[in-house]
Short mmCIF file of all heavy atoms in Angstrom, two decimals:
data_model
loop_
_atom_site.label_atom_id
_atom_site.label_comp_id
_atom_site.label_asym_id
_atom_site.label_seq_id
_atom_site.Cartn_x
_atom_site.Cartn_y
_atom_site.Cartn_z
N HIS A 1 31.49 165.15 123.36
CA HIS A 1 31.31 165.39 121.92
C HIS A 1 32.54 164.84 121.19
O HIS A 1 33.65 165.36 121.36
CB HIS A 1 31.13 166.89 121.63
CG HIS A 1 29.99 167.52 122.36
ND1 HIS A 1 28.67 167.31 122.01
CD2 HIS A 1 29.97 168.33 123.44
CE1 HIS A 1 27.88 167.97 122.83
NE2 HIS A 1 28.65 168.60 123.71
N GLU A 2 32.35 163.80 120.39
CA GLU A 2 33.47 163.14 119.74
C GLU A 2 34.19 164.02 118.72
O GLU A 2 35.37 163.86 118.48
CB GLU A 2 32.99 161.85 119.05
CG GLU A 2 32.90 160.65 119.98
CD GLU A 2 34.24 160.24 120.57
OE1 GLU A 2 35.27 160.39 119.87
OE2 GLU A 2 34.29 159.79 121.73
N ASN A 3 33.47 164.95 118.13
CA ASN A 3 34.12 165.78 117.10
C ASN A 3 35.14 166.76 117.69
O ASN A 3 35.97 167.33 116.98
CB ASN A 3 33.08 166.54 116.27
CG ASN A 3 32.21 167.43 117.12
OD1 ASN A 3 32.06 167.21 118.33
ND2 ASN A 3 31.60 168.43 116.50
N THR A 4 35.08 166.96 118.99
CA THR A 4 36.08 167.79 119.67
C THR A 4 36.72 167.00 120.82
O THR A 4 37.10 167.57 121.85
CB THR A 4 35.45 169.08 120.22
OG1 THR A 4 34.37 168.73 121.11
CG2 THR A 4 34.93 169.95 119.10
N GLY A 5 36.82 165.71 120.62
CA GLY A 5 37.25 164.82 121.69
C GLY A 5 38.71 165.00 122.11
O GLY A 5 39.57 165.33 121.30
N THR A 6 38.95 164.79 123.41
CA THR A 6 40.32 164.80 123.96
C THR A 6 40.63 163.54 124.75
O THR A 6 41.75 163.39 125.25
CB THR A 6 40.51 166.01 124.88
OG1 THR A 6 39.57 165.94 125.96
CG2 THR A 6 40.33 167.33 124.12
N LEU A 7 39.65 162.64 124.88
CA LEU A 7 39.82 161.43 125.67
C LEU A 7 39.66 160.19 124.78
O LEU A 7 38.81 160.16 123.89
CB LEU A 7 38.80 161.37 126.80
CG LEU A 7 38.83 162.53 127.81
CD1 LEU A 7 37.66 162.40 128.79
CD2 LEU A 7 40.16 162.57 128.54
N LEU A 8 40.49 159.17 125.05
CA LEU A 8 40.40 157.91 124.31
C LEU A 8 39.56 156.93 125.12
O LEU A 8 39.84 156.68 126.30
CB LEU A 8 41.79 157.34 124.06
CG LEU A 8 41.86 156.13 123.14
CD1 LEU A 8 41.46 156.53 121.71
CD2 LEU A 8 43.26 155.53 123.13
N ASP A 9 38.57 156.35 124.48
CA ASP A 9 37.61 155.50 125.19
C ASP A 9 38.10 154.05 125.25
O ASP A 9 37.81 153.24 124.38
CB ASP A 9 36.24 155.58 124.51
CG ASP A 9 35.14 154.96 125.37
OD1 ASP A 9 35.45 154.45 126.46
OD2 ASP A 9 33.97 155.00 124.94
N VAL A 10 38.85 153.74 126.30
CA VAL A 10 39.29 152.38 126.60
C VAL A 10 38.90 152.10 128.04
O VAL A 10 39.26 152.85 128.96
CB VAL A 10 40.82 152.21 126.43
CG1 VAL A 10 41.23 150.77 126.77
CG2 VAL A 10 41.24 152.56 125.01
N LEU A 11 38.14 151.02 128.25
CA LEU A 11 37.67 150.69 129.59
C LEU A 11 38.58 149.64 130.22
O LEU A 11 38.85 148.60 129.62
CB LEU A 11 36.24 150.15 129.52
CG LEU A 11 35.62 149.70 130.86
CD1 LEU A 11 35.46 150.89 131.79
CD2 LEU A 11 34.28 149.01 130.61
N PHE A 12 39.06 149.90 131.42
CA PHE A 12 39.92 148.98 132.17
C PHE A 12 39.09 148.35 133.28
O PHE A 12 38.58 149.06 134.16
CB PHE A 12 41.12 149.73 132.76
CG PHE A 12 42.03 150.32 131.73
CD1 PHE A 12 41.74 151.55 131.14
CD2 PHE A 12 43.18 149.65 131.33
CE1 PHE A 12 42.58 152.11 130.18
CE2 PHE A 12 44.03 150.20 130.38
CZ PHE A 12 43.73 151.42 129.80
N THR A 13 38.97 147.03 133.28
CA THR A 13 38.14 146.31 134.26
C THR A 13 39.01 145.37 135.09
O THR A 13 39.74 144.55 134.51
CB THR A 13 37.04 145.50 133.55
OG1 THR A 13 36.26 146.38 132.73
CG2 THR A 13 36.14 144.81 134.57
N PRO A 14 38.95 145.46 136.42
CA PRO A 14 39.74 144.54 137.26
C PRO A 14 39.31 143.09 137.04
O PRO A 14 38.13 142.81 136.81
CB PRO A 14 39.42 145.00 138.68
CG PRO A 14 38.90 146.40 138.53
CD PRO A 14 38.18 146.43 137.22
N GLY A 15 40.25 142.18 137.13
CA GLY A 15 39.92 140.76 136.99
C GLY A 15 40.78 139.87 137.85
O GLY A 15 40.77 138.65 137.72
N PHE A 16 41.53 140.48 138.78
CA PHE A 16 42.49 139.73 139.58
C PHE A 16 41.83 139.00 140.73
O PHE A 16 40.88 139.49 141.34
CB PHE A 16 43.56 140.68 140.13
CG PHE A 16 44.52 140.03 141.09
CD1 PHE A 16 45.57 139.27 140.64
CD2 PHE A 16 44.36 140.18 142.46
CE1 PHE A 16 46.46 138.66 141.51
CE2 PHE A 16 45.23 139.59 143.36
CZ PHE A 16 46.29 138.83 142.88
N SER A 17 42.35 137.80 141.04
CA SER A 17 42.01 137.08 142.27
C SER A 17 43.31 136.65 142.93
O SER A 17 44.32 136.43 142.26
CB SER A 17 41.13 135.86 141.98
OG SER A 17 41.79 134.96 141.11
N THR A 18 43.31 136.54 144.26
CA THR A 18 44.52 136.22 145.01
C THR A 18 45.22 134.97 144.47
O THR A 18 44.56 133.96 144.19
CB THR A 18 44.19 136.03 146.50
OG1 THR A 18 43.61 137.23 147.00
CG2 THR A 18 45.43 135.70 147.31
N GLN A 19 46.53 135.05 144.31
CA GLN A 19 47.31 133.96 143.74
C GLN A 19 48.27 133.38 144.77
O GLN A 19 49.00 134.11 145.43
CB GLN A 19 48.11 134.46 142.53
CG GLN A 19 47.26 135.03 141.40
CD GLN A 19 46.44 133.97 140.72
OE1 GLN A 19 46.95 132.91 140.35
NE2 GLN A 19 45.16 134.26 140.54
N ASN A 20 48.26 132.04 144.90
CA ASN A 20 49.20 131.31 145.73
C ASN A 20 49.77 130.17 144.89
O ASN A 20 49.02 129.27 144.51
CB ASN A 20 48.53 130.76 146.98
CG ASN A 20 47.78 131.83 147.77
OD1 ASN A 20 46.55 131.87 147.73
ND2 ASN A 20 48.49 132.70 148.43
N PHE A 21 51.05 130.22 144.60
CA PHE A 21 51.65 129.17 143.78
C PHE A 21 53.11 129.00 144.18
O PHE A 21 53.69 129.83 144.88
CB PHE A 21 51.55 129.52 142.29
CG PHE A 21 52.13 130.85 141.91
CD1 PHE A 21 53.46 130.99 141.56
CD2 PHE A 21 51.32 132.00 141.91
CE1 PHE A 21 53.99 132.24 141.21
CE2 PHE A 21 51.85 133.24 141.57
CZ PHE A 21 53.19 133.36 141.22
N SER A 22 53.71 127.89 143.74
CA SER A 22 55.11 127.59 144.04
C SER A 22 55.86 127.32 142.74
O SER A 22 55.32 126.70 141.82
CB SER A 22 55.22 126.38 144.97
OG SER A 22 54.65 126.65 146.23
N LEU A 23 57.11 127.78 142.68
CA LEU A 23 57.99 127.53 141.55
C LEU A 23 59.22 126.80 142.08
O LEU A 23 59.87 127.27 143.01
CB LEU A 23 58.39 128.84 140.88
CG LEU A 23 57.23 129.71 140.36
CD1 LEU A 23 57.76 131.00 139.74
CD2 LEU A 23 56.38 128.95 139.35
N ALA A 24 59.52 125.65 141.50
CA ALA A 24 60.56 124.77 142.05
C ALA A 24 61.89 124.85 141.32
O ALA A 24 62.93 124.60 141.92
CB ALA A 24 60.06 123.32 142.06
N SER A 25 61.88 125.19 140.04
CA SER A 25 63.10 125.16 139.24
C SER A 25 63.27 126.46 138.47
O SER A 25 62.28 127.14 138.15
CB SER A 25 63.07 123.98 138.26
OG SER A 25 62.90 122.76 138.94
N VAL A 26 64.52 126.78 138.17
CA VAL A 26 64.80 127.97 137.37
C VAL A 26 64.10 127.84 136.01
O VAL A 26 64.19 126.81 135.36
CB VAL A 26 66.31 128.14 137.18
CG1 VAL A 26 66.62 129.27 136.20
CG2 VAL A 26 67.00 128.41 138.51
N GLY A 27 63.39 128.88 135.62
CA GLY A 27 62.64 128.86 134.37
C GLY A 27 61.16 128.54 134.55
O GLY A 27 60.37 128.75 133.63
N ASP A 28 60.77 128.03 135.73
CA ASP A 28 59.35 127.76 135.99
C ASP A 28 58.56 129.07 135.97
O ASP A 28 59.07 130.11 136.40
CB ASP A 28 59.16 127.06 137.34
CG ASP A 28 59.55 125.59 137.29
OD1 ASP A 28 59.92 125.11 136.20
OD2 ASP A 28 59.50 124.94 138.35
N GLN A 29 57.30 128.99 135.51
CA GLN A 29 56.47 130.19 135.38
C GLN A 29 55.07 129.95 135.93
O GLN A 29 54.60 128.82 136.01
CB GLN A 29 56.35 130.59 133.90
CG GLN A 29 57.63 130.99 133.22
CD GLN A 29 57.42 131.38 131.78
OE1 GLN A 29 56.53 130.86 131.10
NE2 GLN A 29 58.22 132.32 131.29
N SER A 30 54.43 131.04 136.27
CA SER A 30 53.00 131.03 136.61
C SER A 30 52.37 132.29 136.05
O SER A 30 52.92 133.40 136.22
CB SER A 30 52.80 130.96 138.13
OG SER A 30 51.42 130.89 138.44
N THR A 31 51.22 132.15 135.38
CA THR A 31 50.54 133.28 134.74
C THR A 31 49.15 133.45 135.35
O THR A 31 48.44 132.47 135.59
CB THR A 31 50.43 133.05 133.22
OG1 THR A 31 51.74 132.94 132.66
CG2 THR A 31 49.71 134.20 132.54
N PHE A 32 48.74 134.69 135.59
CA PHE A 32 47.43 134.95 136.17
C PHE A 32 46.86 136.23 135.58
O PHE A 32 47.59 137.10 135.08
CB PHE A 32 47.51 135.05 137.69
CG PHE A 32 48.53 136.02 138.21
CD1 PHE A 32 48.22 137.36 138.40
CD2 PHE A 32 49.82 135.59 138.50
CE1 PHE A 32 49.16 138.25 138.87
CE2 PHE A 32 50.78 136.48 138.97
CZ PHE A 32 50.45 137.81 139.16
N LEU A 33 45.54 136.35 135.65
CA LEU A 33 44.82 137.48 135.07
C LEU A 33 44.93 138.71 135.97
O LEU A 33 44.76 138.63 137.19
CB LEU A 33 43.35 137.11 134.89
CG LEU A 33 42.44 138.19 134.28
CD1 LEU A 33 42.82 138.45 132.82
CD2 LEU A 33 40.97 137.74 134.36
N VAL A 34 45.23 139.86 135.35
CA VAL A 34 45.25 141.12 136.06
C VAL A 34 43.96 141.90 135.81
O VAL A 34 43.37 142.47 136.73
CB VAL A 34 46.47 141.97 135.63
CG1 VAL A 34 46.42 143.35 136.28
CG2 VAL A 34 47.76 141.26 135.99
N GLY A 35 43.51 141.94 134.56
CA GLY A 35 42.28 142.64 134.21
C GLY A 35 41.98 142.52 132.74
O GLY A 35 42.64 141.77 132.02
N THR A 36 40.97 143.25 132.28
CA THR A 36 40.60 143.23 130.87
C THR A 36 40.54 144.66 130.34
O THR A 36 40.31 145.62 131.09
CB THR A 36 39.24 142.56 130.64
OG1 THR A 36 38.24 143.27 131.37
CG2 THR A 36 39.27 141.11 131.09
N LEU A 37 40.76 144.77 129.01
CA LEU A 37 40.67 146.07 128.34
C LEU A 37 39.61 145.99 127.26
O LEU A 37 39.57 145.03 126.49
CB LEU A 37 42.00 146.46 127.70
CG LEU A 37 43.07 147.11 128.59
CD1 LEU A 37 43.65 146.09 129.57
CD2 LEU A 37 44.19 147.69 127.73
N ASP A 38 38.73 146.99 127.22
CA ASP A 38 37.72 147.10 126.17
C ASP A 38 38.00 148.38 125.37
O ASP A 38 37.98 149.49 125.93
CB ASP A 38 36.31 147.19 126.78
CG ASP A 38 35.90 145.90 127.46
OD1 ASP A 38 35.56 144.95 126.75
OD2 ASP A 38 35.96 145.86 128.71
N PHE A 39 38.25 148.20 124.07
CA PHE A 39 38.49 149.34 123.19
C PHE A 39 37.14 149.79 122.63
O PHE A 39 36.51 149.08 121.87
CB PHE A 39 39.44 148.93 122.07
CG PHE A 39 39.81 150.08 121.16
CD1 PHE A 39 40.67 151.07 121.59
CD2 PHE A 39 39.30 150.16 119.88
CE1 PHE A 39 41.02 152.12 120.76
CE2 PHE A 39 39.64 151.20 119.03
CZ PHE A 39 40.50 152.20 119.48
N ARG A 40 36.70 151.00 123.01
CA ARG A 40 35.34 151.43 122.69
C ARG A 40 35.30 152.74 121.91
O ARG A 40 34.22 153.31 121.71
CB ARG A 40 34.53 151.58 123.99
CG ARG A 40 34.59 150.36 124.91
CD ARG A 40 33.64 150.46 126.07
NE ARG A 40 33.84 151.67 126.87
CZ ARG A 40 33.14 152.00 127.94
NH1 ARG A 40 32.16 151.18 128.34
NH2 ARG A 40 33.38 153.10 128.61
#
């Protein structure tokens, strides 16, 4: 019942896949997906 609510409706969905990468120089970066958030 939303009028007496105590929980915030945000859905967390996994989205990760195994990552294999190499970084050769200082400052090099690699970005990958962890998951998604749905604000409901």
Side-chain angles (χ1 to χ4, degrees):
H1 303 285
E2 277 297 326
N3 58 337
T4 57
T6 60
L7 301 174
L8 188 67
D9 193 358
V10 180
L11 178 65
F12 297 82
T13 304
F16 174 80
S17 60
T18 301
Q19 300 292 310
N20 307 105
F21 55 89
S22 296
L23 302 179
S25 303
V26 172
D28 284 357
Q29 297 180 328
S30 182
T31 299
F32 53 88
L33 181 67
V34 175
T36 59
L37 277 71
D38 293 284
F39 184 73
R40 309 188 304 180

